[in-house]
Amino acid sequence: MKVIGISFVLLLALMGVAAALDFFGGSPDLNASIRNIFNPFLVMETIEMVIFIFIVLCVFIPPVRQFFQKRNKSKQ
Amino acid sequence: MEKARISAFQLFILIVLFELGSAMIVPLAIEAKQGAWLAILIGAAGGCGIFLIYYALFRYYPDESPVHFVRHIIGSVPGKIVAFLYILYFLYLSARVVRDFGEMLITIAYVETPLFVLNLLMVLLAVYTIRKGIEVLARTGELLFIVLAFLFLSAFLLIAAGGTLDYGNLKPVMGEGLAPIVKTAFTQTIYFPFGEIFAFMMIMPYVTDPKKVKRTGLLAITASGFVLASIMAANTGVLGVELVNRSLFPLLATIQSIELADFLERLDVYFMLAAIIGGFVKITLFLYVSVAAAADLFKVKKPSQLAYPLGVVVLLLSIMIAGSLPEHIQEGIKLVPLYLHLPFQVILPALVLLVAFVRHKGRGKEGEAK
C-alpha cells in the first residue's frame, strides 16, 4: 500500500508540474491547463482504454495480494 | 541503494549512451545555424564545468546517494524536500524522453499505432531492466555501445563516400559573430544533454574505484560532445541549415540521403537502431535514478517494488505533458531549460556545494582548534 501511496503522490505532483508548465507556456488559465492534461485520455480509442485500465490495475495486484496473504497468515 | 558495483569503463559507456540518447535525433543547437557544432562543443565544455560541481559534492560523500547526503548538508526537512523535488524532476525528464521517442516512432515508422501503446512498450522494457538492477544495465550498455560505435563509424564512412557531404553548407561558421553560438550553448546545449549528467550522482557511488570517476566523467562528456558535434556537422553538411531547421529528425534525413553503389540506400534502420539504443538507456537511467531515490527517501525495503508503479507514472505523464508534438517541442525548448534545468542542474547543486564547503571548512577549523 505504501508503494501505491508514493506513486499516487508523485503522480499528483507531476500533474501539477505539467499543468504549471502548460500555464507558463501560454495557456489562458490554470483550469484550461488542468483540462489539457486530461484531454489525451478523453480521445483514446476503446482498445487503448482497455490496455490503459489493465496497466493501471496491474499496479494494484501485488499490494492487494500481499494484504490478503498477511491477513490469512494472521488468521492462522 | 542496492548492493551493486560497476567499473569506471561501464560508467563511461553509460554516460556516453545517455548523453547521445535523445540529443542525437533532434536538431540540437540549430539556432546557432552553421555554428551548431561549435555550440555543442561549448556546451560540452560547460557540461564539464557542471560535472565538476557534482564531482565536488560526490567527493564529500563518496559512498552515499545524494538523497542521503543532501540531508546531512542542508538539514533533514529541507534535504527531504530537495530530494523529493529531484525525484519529480527525474520522473518528468524520463516522461519527456519517452514522449520524444514515442513521437519519433509514430512519425517515421508506426503511423497507425497509438502513442500510448508505443510509450507503454518502452516503459515496460525500462521497468524490466530496472528490476534486474544497475549491473545488468551496465553490462547491456557494453553490448549496445559496440553496436552503436559500429553504426556511427559505418554511417560516417558511407556519408563521406556517398558524396552527399557539401562542406560549403558548413560556412560561414560565425556569420553573425560568436554571440548567437555562445547564447545557444548557454541556453540550450549546456543543459540538454550535458547537464542531465546530474542523474549520475545516484550512479557514482556504485563505481568500484571512486578515484576514476572524475576522469571518466570528463572523458565521457568530451567524447559525447565530439560525437554530437560531428553528427550536427554531418547533418548541416548534407542537408544545409534550412532543411535541418525544418526537419524534426535531421539525422534520419541525413542517413536517408546515403546512396552508394546503386544498392546501399534506404538505411533508415541505422537511425532506428541508434535512436532506440540511446532512448532505451536514457529512459531506463532516468527511471532507475527516480526509483532508487524514491526508495531511499521513502524507505522502501525493496526498490524493485517501485519500478512498475513509477513506470506507470512515467507512462501516464508522457501522455499528459503535451497535447501535440509541436507543443511538446516548444515546452522542451522554451520552458524546460529555464524553469527546470537551470534550477535543478546548476543553481541547487551549486548552493548545496556552497553549504557543504562552508560546513566542512568549519569542521576542519574546529578540529584544528581542538
Side-chain angles (χ1 to χ4, degrees), chain A residues 30-51:
Chain A
L30 209 56
N31 281 336
S33 300
I34 293 166
R35 271 200 306 275
N36 285 345
I37 285 177
F38 293 104
N39 274 346
F41 298 102
L42 302 178
V43 293
M44 275 184 172
E45 287 173 27
T46 317
I47 189 71
E48 276 182 89
M49 196 47 95
V50 170
I51 297 170

Side-chain angles (χ1 to χ4, degrees), chain A residues 2-3 6-7 9-11 13-15 17 21-22 24-25 37 40-41 44 48 51-52 55 58-59 66, chain B residues 84 87-88 91-92 114 116 120 298-300 305-306 308-310 312-313 316-317 319-320 327 331 335:
Chain A
K2 187 182 180 183
V3 169
I6 294 165
S7 312
V9 168
L10 287 171
L11 179 64
L14 285 165
M15 282 162 69
V17 172
L21 279 174
D22 193 59
F24 288 125
I37 285 177
F41 298 102
M44 275 184 172
E48 276 182 89
I51 297 170
F52 168 69
I55 290 296
C58 282
V59 175
Q66 219 174 9
Chain B
F84 182 74
I87 294 169
L88 294 182
L91 284 172
Y92 183 80
F116 179 76
L120 171 68
F298 297 108
K299 295 187 174 63
V300 177
Q305 281 183 333
L306 274 171
Y308 183 71
L310 290 193
V312 172
V313 168
L316 298 185
L317 192 70
I319 305 291
M320 289 173 183
E327 190 188 328
E331 275 185 7
L335 302 172

Side-chain angles (χ1 to χ4, degrees), chain B residues 49-332:
Chain B
I50 293 179
F51 176 76
L52 288 177
I53 297 177
Y54 307 154
Y55 179 73
L57 274 171
F58 168 72
R59 262 184 54 189
Y60 283 125
Y61 305 92
D63 300 320
E64 289 185 35
S65 81
V67 178
H68 274 138
F69 72 62
V70 78
R71 278 182 267 172
H72 293 310
I73 296 171
I74 61 171
S76 179
V77 176
K80 279 180 182 170
I81 293 169
V82 169
F84 182 74
L85 291 176
Y86 269 105
I87 294 169
L88 294 182
Y89 176 61
F90 290 135
L91 284 172
Y92 183 80
L93 289 186
S94 186
R96 281 202 74 82
V97 183
V98 171
R99 180 64 180 259
D100 280 337
F101 282 92
E103 293 284 3
M104 181 206 80
L105 289 171
I106 280 188
T107 310
I108 64 173
Y110 304 97
V111 184
E112 297 291 328
T113 313
L115 177 70
F116 179 76
V117 175
L118 292 172
N119 289 3
L120 171 68
L121 293 174
M122 285 186 285
V123 168
L124 285 181
L125 182 62
V127 167
Y128 176 74
T129 315
I130 290 163
R131 289 182 75 96
K132 294 288 168 195
I134 188 73
E135 285 181 354
V136 171
L137 177 62
R139 287 199 295 270
T140 314
E142 283 181 283
L143 282 173
L144 297 176
F145 184 76
I146 296 168
V147 178
L148 201 65
F150 167 76
L151 288 175
F152 274 127
L153 287 175
S154 54
F156 277 118
L157 273 175
L158 288 171
I159 289 169
T164 47
L165 197 61
D166 179 5
Y167 293 101
N169 284 338
L170 289 165
K171 294 175 189 168
V173 176
M174 287 187 274
E176 292 166 28
L178 196 62
I181 295 172
V182 174
K183 190 188 166 197
T184 310
F186 280 90
T187 53
Q188 280 182 34
T189 47
I190 199 166
Y191 309 117
F192 172 77
F194 301 109
E196 288 176 345
I197 200 173
F198 184 82
F200 280 84
M201 287 288 288
M202 288 292 295
I203 313 283
M204 285 179 200
Y206 295 129
V207 179
T208 41
D209 190 355
K211 285 176 189 167
K212 288 182 180 170
V213 167
K214 183 182 176 184
R215 202 178 59 182
T216 308
L218 293 176
L219 207 66
I221 294 174
T222 313
S224 23
F226 273 106
V227 173
L228 286 172
S230 318
I231 290 172
M232 268 315 283
N235 288 340
T236 317
V238 172
L239 306 171
V241 170
E242 288 306 315
L243 207 54
V244 174
N245 201 10
R246 272 185 280 136
S247 174
L248 280 173
F249 311 110
L251 183 60
L252 175 66
T254 304
I255 286 173
Q256 279 174 337
S257 73
I258 297 173
E259 283 177 10
L260 205 67
D262 285 333
F263 76 97
L264 272 172
E265 47 192 62
R266 295 189 64 82
L267 296 171
D268 304 23
V269 67
Y270 263 66
F271 174 81
M272 288 293 279
L273 268 175
I276 294 299
I277 289 171
F280 160 70
V281 173
K282 198 157 186 174
I283 293 164
T284 310
L285 266 168
F286 270 137
L287 192 55
Y288 176 82
V289 167
S290 317
V291 168
D296 256 11
L297 183 65
F298 297 108
K299 295 187 174 63
V300 177
K301 282 175 192 164
K302 288 182 187 167
S304 61
Q305 281 183 333
L306 274 171
Y308 183 71
L310 290 193
V312 172
V313 168
V314 167
L315 174 68
L316 298 185
L317 192 70
S318 72
I319 305 291
M320 289 173 183
I321 48 177
S324 62
L325 179 59
E327 190 188 328
H328 174 65
I329 292 172
Q330 279 306 306
E331 275 185 7

